[in-house]
């Protein structure tokens, strides 16, 4: 989920369907402790001084909490030995990478760049990766990972994955959700324990789609904009360019066309990494689901006792149902369902001869335990 690429046309990163609350990243003291300890190591090596006895190399306010973490001690010492083997220029480059790999928002909005692990001096690669990976593993026993997840769940509009809008997230206290390194730790190890780089997401989004993809670069290595899980603006879905088959028999919708608004390179990256359009079209906007959603509209009309006398009443009923769905937010994929009925409102208002009779019959038909006919 890295020489400056600043452009007057670059805009701040958006989030996905909705943003995680940035307050969920505020208990970032372990990451800050690691960064300060690494800086201390570099300063001591540059000055030709020996490392102090453990845990005095740590910032004073964290020594007592981490004094018994001998794994951290051993990895810091291994990192220090690697730093000693570097030239002054190499040490400066590593220290610069430590800072730039953690400018998460600026990296995603392409306001800065940073080197990846393979671009760092060879002796430092494994020690750096081991140290910050161990820091990530400490987030669980120190309760920082759970604190972050609790804050996320209390700050989002619905407990669903914002990368796809479809996978449910378990309640706090359940087995921990996947915590993705948005910038992969295999490429950007200095950000491995940074809560700003850690995003809870659905298992399929993480394991089947994101994997270790780099949101900062295409497969060719070219830099790209990427969405920020803790960003500000949000993305909406439009199906208004979809096509109704008004000629041949079969499903009423000939082709669902999914547009993400606002568009742009960052949104394209999101789609390329998580395949959201492909997944929605295949798994949600299929014919069977469209049948079910039309049946839900029928039930809504009956429960609301809507009186349907003509085409204007049909359009009004569809619009009213769309407004209801919009109010449901992200529960049970309502954001996609609302987009479907916004499209139907638009096409019916234009007098679509294929859809109007279908929706008129649904609005007038009593509830029956049969499939909804949408054949022409």
């Amino acid at each position: 989920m890295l020489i400056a690429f600043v452009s007057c046309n670059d805009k701040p990163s958006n989030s996905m369907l909705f943003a995680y609350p940035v307050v969920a990243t505020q208990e970032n003291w372990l990451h800050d402790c690691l960064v300060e300890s690494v800086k201390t190591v570099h300063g001591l090596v540059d000055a030709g001084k020996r490392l102090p006895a453990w845990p005095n190399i740590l910032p004073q306010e964290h020594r007592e909490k981490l004094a018994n973490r001998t794994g951290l001690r051993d990895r810091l010492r291994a990192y220090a030995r690697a730093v000693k083997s570097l030239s002054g220029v190499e040490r400066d480059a590593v220290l610069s990478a430590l800072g730039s790999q953690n400018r998460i928002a600026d990296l995603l909005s392409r306001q800065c760049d940073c080197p990846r692990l393979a671009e760092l001096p060879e002796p430092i690669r494994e020690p750096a990766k081991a140290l910050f990976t161990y820091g990530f593993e400490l987030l669980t026993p120190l309760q920082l990972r759970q604190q972050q997840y609790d804050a996320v769940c209390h700050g989002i509009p619905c407990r669903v994955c914002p990368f796809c809008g479809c996978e449910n997230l378990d309640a706090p206290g359940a087995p921990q959700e996947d915590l993705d390194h948005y910038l992969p730790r295999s490429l950007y190890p200095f950000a491995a324990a940074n809560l700003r780089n850690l995003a809870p997401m659905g298992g399929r989004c993480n394991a089947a789609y994101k994997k270790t993809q780099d949101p900062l670069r295409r497969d060719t290595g070219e830099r790209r904009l990427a969405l920020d899980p803790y960003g500000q603006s949000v993305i909406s879905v439009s199906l208004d360019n979809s096509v109704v088959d008004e000629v041949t028999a079969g499903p009423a919708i000939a082709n669902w066309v999914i547009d993400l608004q606002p568009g742009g390179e960052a949104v394209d990256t999101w789609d390329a990494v998580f395949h959201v359009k492909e997944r929605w079209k295949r798994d949600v906007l299929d014919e069977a689901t469209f049948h079910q959603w039309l049946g839900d509209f029928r039930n809504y009309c009956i429960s609301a006792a809507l009186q349907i006398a003509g085409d204007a009443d049909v359009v009004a009923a569809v619009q009213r149902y769309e407004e209801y769905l919009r109010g449901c937010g992200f529960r049970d994929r309502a954001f996609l369902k609302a987009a479907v009925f916004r499209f139907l409102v638009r096409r019916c208002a234009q007098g679509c001869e294929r859809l109007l009779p279908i929706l008129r019959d649904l609005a007038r038909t009593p509830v029956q335990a049969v499939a909804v006919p949408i054949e022409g």
Side-chain angles (χ1 to χ4, degrees), residues 347-363:
R347 293 297 284 118
C348 287
Q350 295 170 347
C352 179
E353 296 182 359
R354 182 73 191 284
L355 290 173
L356 275 168
I358 294 173
L359 294 168
R360 186 188 307 116
D361 289 345
L362 289 168

Side-chain angles (χ1 to χ4, degrees), residues 33-224:
C33 176
L34 292 176
V35 169
E36 289 306 310
S37 299
V38 165
K39 289 179 179 179
T40 297
V41 166
H42 279 258
L44 291 171
V45 171
D46 287 344
K49 297 181 179 179
R50 298 180 61 181
L51 267 63
W54 180 260
N56 294 334
I57 194 172
L58 301 175
Q60 186 170 1
E61 63 269 28
H62 302 310
R63 290 172 188 173
E64 184 176 350
K65 288 180 287 190
L66 299 174
N68 64 342
R69 302 293 178 177
T70 56
L72 181 59
R73 176 200 63 193
D74 295 344
R75 287 162 179 79
L76 263 173
R77 288 175 176 172
Y79 181 87
R81 289 193 295 271
V83 171
K84 290 179 182 178
S85 72
L86 304 178
S87 68
V89 172
E90 289 175 325
R91 292 198 296 271
D92 288 345
V94 171
L95 203 57
S96 176
L98 171 69
S100 61
Q101 285 190 9
N102 284 290
R103 293 177 60 185
I104 308 299
D106 290 338
L107 289 169
L108 296 172
S109 60
R110 209 168 58 191
Q111 300 300 305
C112 75
D113 206 349
C114 74
R116 292 189 280 191
L117 181 63
E119 300 170 75
L120 298 179
E122 194 279 332
I124 204 68
R125 295 174 194 169
E126 285 306 312
K129 186 176 178 181
L131 172 60
F132 282 84
T133 295
Y134 184 77
F136 168 70
E137 293 168 352
L138 282 180
L139 293 176
T140 297
L142 292 173
Q143 296 296 307
L144 297 177
R145 181 172 174 177
Q146 188 63 52
Q147 289 176 32
Q148 182 197 27
Y149 188 67
D150 291 350
V152 163
C153 288
H154 285 100
I156 56 180
C158 185
R159 216 165 49 236
V160 298
C161 173
F163 293 89
C164 67
C166 296
E167 292 189 78
N168 291 325
L169 301 180
D170 286 337
Q176 189 71 57
E177 293 287 351
D178 288 347
L179 189 59
D180 177 68
H181 286 86
Y182 199 54
L183 305 186
R185 60 180 172 177
S186 60
L187 301 176
Y188 308 100
F190 289 125
N194 188 346
L195 297 183
R196 188 61 174 78
N197 185 43
L198 297 173
M201 68 174 63
R204 286 190 57 75
C205 276
N206 188 26
Y209 294 98
K210 170 66 164 55
K211 299 179 181 178
T212 59
Q213 291 187 75
D214 185 355
L216 300 183
R217 288 185 169 90
R218 298 182 176 88
D219 291 341
T220 60
E222 180 186 3
R223 279 286 271 119
R224 61 185 176 183

Side-chain angles (χ1 to χ4, degrees), residues 186-364:
S186 60
L187 301 176
Y188 308 100
F190 289 125
N194 188 346
L195 297 183
R196 188 61 174 78
N197 185 43
L198 297 173
M201 68 174 63
R204 286 190 57 75
C205 276
N206 188 26
Y209 294 98
K210 170 66 164 55
K211 299 179 181 178
T212 59
Q213 291 187 75
D214 185 355
L216 300 183
R217 288 185 169 90
R218 298 182 176 88
D219 291 341
T220 60
E222 180 186 3
R223 279 286 271 119
R224 61 185 176 183
L225 291 168
L227 295 181
D228 186 348
Y230 296 92
Q232 298 298 320
S233 302
V234 296
I235 305 303
S236 61
V237 180
S238 170
L239 301 173
D240 286 353
N241 291 317
S242 300
V243 179
V244 176
D245 186 347
E246 301 195 55
V247 179
T248 61
I253 307 301
N255 183 36
W256 289 112
V257 177
I258 302 171
D259 295 312
L260 301 173
Q261 301 171 339
E265 184 182 2
V267 174
D268 292 341
T269 300
W270 172 40
D271 186 40
V273 171
F274 293 96
H275 299 263
V276 287
K277 291 184 183 179
E278 171 195 324
R279 293 163 67 188
W280 290 342
K281 193 169 183 178
R282 181 192 64 226
D283 302 334
V284 182
L285 300 174
D286 59 306
E287 185 180 351
T289 302
F290 186 50
H291 272 272
Q292 295 169 6
W293 287 358
L294 289 176
D296 292 341
F297 168 68
R298 172 199 60 198
N299 294 337
Y300 171 82
C301 291
I302 293 169
S303 65
L306 299 183
Q307 300 299 313
I308 307 298
D311 289 348
D313 295 328
V314 174
V315 174
V318 178
Q319 186 169 12
R320 181 172 168 178
Y321 187 51
E322 184 276 332
E323 291 170 355
Y324 163 76
L325 292 170
R326 201 171 349 128
C328 293
F330 294 93
R331 297 193 299 274
D332 194 26
R333 302 176 296 187
F335 73 101
L336 285 174
K337 198 172 181 180
V340 166
F341 282 88
R342 275 195 297 277
F343 167 72
L344 296 180
V345 169
R346 176 174 171 271
R347 293 297 284 118
C348 287
Q350 295 170 347
C352 179
E353 296 182 359
R354 182 73 191 284
L355 290 173
L356 275 168
I358 294 173
L359 294 168
R360 186 188 307 116
D361 289 345
L362 289 168
R364 290 174 172 173

